[in-house]
Amino acid sequence: MHINKENVMLTLFHAPKSRSSRIVTLIEEMGIADRIVVKTTDIPRIDGSGAPDPANPHPEAKVPALLHDGTLITESAAVILYLTDLFPESGMAPKPGDPAYGAYVTWLFWYGNVMEPVLIHQAAGLSHPILTATFRGVPELEARIHAALTKGRWLLGDRYSAADLLIHSPYAWFGNTPDDPLIADWVTRCMARPAVEKTKLKDAA
């Protein structure tokens, strides 16, 4: 199906200082802010603040939630993949057919399937052989990122992409950067991007 990009308009449901902040940053990086309406919503927070917003279409009252002509996309990696595929000219991801596209998609899904569960288990103090066998642990997680960064400044080599934006985000959010100079320098580079600062200012406002 051909999509007229001039007529594309999407709606992102965003809760400031949450997982959807990285989608706001992505939108800025992609230069598509004029194509997306960002609606501020509320969500239940870990500290007990916040509440579900009936206007938020996410079935679990979470963010991000992206609406495109009645189609709902949720989960950070899915939203990122959807946007970078919809606007390939943004340069924030390799295009299908590019040799780097497989690595890009792998990093997106690895985040939700491995990285975030491992970090949540660590934060919750959970340890069990089943969890370790399924997800591995923090050392394996850091080793995988380290291995990628030995080949270039970014996860895909010499070009910054939405994969870097997503994978570095928990370190930026919680301030628990690994004691690994290669990873620490990469996180610093990611956090120093102008789009990140713009999102912080928007969320603070």
Side-chain angles (χ1 to χ4, degrees), residues 30-147:
M30 294 176 69
I32 57 172
D34 60 331
R35 309 290 180 85
I36 299 182
V37 174
V38 178
K39 289 190 176 182
T40 302
T41 188
D42 197 9
I43 56 171
R45 306 270 183 171
I46 293 176
D47 62 4
S49 65
D53 180 357
N56 179 3
H58 194 297
E60 296 162 9
K62 297 179 181 180
V63 289
L66 181 71
L67 274 179
H68 181 199
D69 291 339
T71 297
L72 176 64
I73 306 96
T74 66
E75 311 313 316
S76 293
V79 172
I80 290 172
L81 183 61
Y82 192 88
L83 289 175
T84 55
D85 278 358
L86 187 63
F87 298 99
E89 68 277 5
S90 71
M92 280 297 288
K95 297 177 182 179
D98 185 314
Y101 186 77
Y104 168 67
V105 175
T106 297
W107 281 115
L108 296 188
F109 284 84
W110 179 78
Y111 175 84
N113 293 336
V114 178
M115 184 179 187
E116 189 164 292
V118 167
L119 294 179
I120 289 175
H121 296 157
Q122 179 191 44
L126 297 176
S127 178
H128 191 281
I130 292 178
L131 297 177
T132 303
T134 302
F135 302 105
R136 306 299 186 265
V138 171
E140 290 86 354
L141 182 156
E142 294 176 0
R144 184 160 182 173
I145 297 173
H146 179 97

